[in-house]
DNA sequence: TCTGTTAAAAATATCGATATTTATTGACTT
DNA sequence: AAGTCAATAAATATCGATATTTTTAACAGA
């Protein structure tokens, strides 16, 4: 009598459901940075038991979204301009590395998946699921590095960056940039297998966003 | 009536105790790579409840020492020569970065802590606690990077490397190297604030160990 | 007023029992 | 023999209750 799958709101396990919800709440800022995360409170909010909440929080620790202090519970990872700067720097180094490895090892499958991810992202401009498609595109760039740990680091850092994007976006996103064109450029360079050009385009894409976000984050 | 502190074998919390024990067992190979980690089994082994074991395993996931598969439990992270090569590569890139930042921002305190860590390590050559002192020395090199996430990554990767050292060391460690001299060299360069030289010495130190370990890991 | 102490309240950590899910076994069919 | 399928066994996930620890608040002494 269990119909639960990707389509259903219900997750496969209570822990996974709690993990997803809490992750989303931290990334969007529904749970503010630095906030104490009380088990009982979250248990009621998510309408589940204490064990799944606790386990989900432990898991979120891996993603650096939650801090755990022995014997005194959990809190949402604090946010600061220093932390944001660190994330940007690490992303640039690690994605550069992953990207170059991906291109060095380039295969037709990798290229096709990349084109596909880009296409899907374009279709969804503005949609709620655009964020997901955007991440999938960027991860598709790195997906051929044959370095799982490196990709995991990049994925984590990507999410942390999204979080700052959300924290900053009270005054709506008005940049004089053509993000779509930047993505096209990145894709074109990658398909051309030009590692230097792709890296330049990608890092510039990140650094422009980073510089813009930094100006919005003065209140942190 | 609780006297538990650093000196006592008892840990502050059951979870922390389980975390430390399991971590140690995985790093030393007492729990072999890839092995299924059954809660009930570990519960009895560590003489504690299922909750602390479960939480400790969730936490070890952050360190990439344990894999968690939803609904079908935990297993010790698998080991492979590919994985080892990846760790070595990432370490070289990330420690290089952290080291250079540390030296750029060098302060007398940093330098003094480094000298101290080196001295302590020398005293303990061969002792059981040498491993700890060795790690403290290497982390002291990076400790001034003002990049906590980067230091965390380096620490994680350091531990993963130790694990491979242990996995390989069935046929005892007989290399024609003067590890002590290598450490002296690294320290001297760092104190001289010569980032290029320190980095060269450090990375060579890692790569020599890496190359040696790779020859020992054929059986993986 | 400040400081240190202690009782009460709140929150975390842990346990033991139970519900769910996955893995295994072996009979039964093709 | 190989492959299904159902029944059983094993393991994981989850719950609800309790023990421990930390935090808060009230208060006495300097």
């Amino acid at each position: 009598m269990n119909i639960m799958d990707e389509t259903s709101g219900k997750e496969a396990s209570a822990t996974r459901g709690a993990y997803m919800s809490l992750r989303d709440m931290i990334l969007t800022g529904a749970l503010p940075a630095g906030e104490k995360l009380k088990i009982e409170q979250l248990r009621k909010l998510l309408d589940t038991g204490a064990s799944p909440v606790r386990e989900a929080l432990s898991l979120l620790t891996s993603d650096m979204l939650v801090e755990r202090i022995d014997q005194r519970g959990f809190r949402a990872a604090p946010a600061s301009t220093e932390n944001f700067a660190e994330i940007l720097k690490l992303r640039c180094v690690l994605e550069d590395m992953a990207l170059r490895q991906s291109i060095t090892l380039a295969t037709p499958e990798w290229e096709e998946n990349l084109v596909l991810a880009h296409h899907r992202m374009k279709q969804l401009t503005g949609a709620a699921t655009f964020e997901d498609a955007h991440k999938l595109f960027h991860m598709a760039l790195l997906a051929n590095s044959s370095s799982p740990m490196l990709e995991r680091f990049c994925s984590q850092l990507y999410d942390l960056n999204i979080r700052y994007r959300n924290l900053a976006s009270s005054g709506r996103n008005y940049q004089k940039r053509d993000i779509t064109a930047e993505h096209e450029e990145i894709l074109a360079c990658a398909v051309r297998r030009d590692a230097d050009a792709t890296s330049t385009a990608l890092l510039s894409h990140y650094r422009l966003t980073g510089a813009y976000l930094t100006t919005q984050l003065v209140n942190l």
Side-chain angles (χ1 to χ4, degrees), chain A:
Chain A
M1 73 193 270
N2 266 335
I3 330 163
M4 43 191 56
D5 52 40
E6 334 74 50
T7 59
S8 160
K10 255 73 178 163
E11 290 290 341
S13 69
T15 296
R16 170 144 284 268
Y19 173 81
M20 291 307 221
S21 301
L22 291 172
R23 179 167 174 281
D24 193 65
M25 286 195 282
I26 293 172
L27 288 181
T28 60
L31 289 174
E35 179 149 298
K36 185 84 211 292
L37 302 174
K38 299 183 188 169
I39 308 290
E40 180 62 13
Q41 189 176 293
L42 297 175
R43 195 194 65 65
K44 274 186 273 190
L45 185 65
L46 302 177
D47 189 38
T48 181
S51 308
V53 170
R54 191 153 245 290
E55 190 149 334
L57 290 172
S58 289
L59 257 18
L60 283 165
T61 279
S62 313
D63 306 331
M64 295 188 275
L65 289 171
V66 166
E67 281 185 358
R68 188 199 130 97
I69 308 156
D70 203 52
Q71 222 86 357
R72 73 196 58 168
F74 301 86
R75 65 177 51 246
S80 66
T81 51
E82 292 75 26
N83 183 239
F84 177 67
E86 189 183 355
I87 289 165
L88 179 60
K89 187 165 193 174
L90 282 172
R91 287 182 84 200
C92 287
V93 171
L94 295 180
E95 292 217 15
D96 175 70
M97 184 173 168
L99 178 68
R100 287 173 187 278
Q101 287 180 196
S102 268
I103 293 180
T104 300
L105 304 172
T107 64
E109 294 74 42
W110 168 71
E111 179 176 326
E112 291 184 0
N113 282 329
L114 180 59
V115 170
L116 213 52
H118 179 260
H119 174 72
R120 290 190 183 126
M121 177 175 66
K122 266 181 93 166
Q123 302 301 98
L124 289 170
T125 307
T129 51
F130 172 76
E131 277 297 4
D132 294 330
H134 186 239
K135 176 169 181 181
L136 286 175
F137 170 66
H138 277 286
M139 293 314 293
L141 275 167
L142 317 177
N144 201 49
S145 73
S146 80
S147 190
M149 302 178 82
L150 181 55
E151 286 173 32
R152 175 174 156 169
F153 285 148
C154 291
S155 173
Q156 277 184 209
L157 290 166
Y158 184 96
D159 288 342
L160 290 170
N161 187 65
I162 293 259
R163 182 175 181 231
Y164 278 96
R165 176 126 51 83
N166 290 329
L167 292 182
S169 72
S170 38
R172 234 22 192 150
N173 204 355
Y174 280 127
Q175 301 178 61
K176 307 186 202 66
R177 282 169 62 200
D178 188 345
I179 307 282
T180 305
E182 293 182 20
H183 285 142
E184 304 274 8
E185 163 80 358
I186 293 167
L187 175 65
C189 296
V191 168
R192 207 188 323 131
R193 310 277 158 98
D194 184 338
D196 289 336
T198 316
S199 174
T200 301
L202 181 65
L203 267 49
S204 147
H205 180 63
Y206 286 154
R207 289 193 172 117
L208 284 171
T209 305
Y212 171 73
L213 288 183
T214 301
T215 67
Q216 303 297 106
L217 286 171
V218 284
N219 49 325
L220 273 186

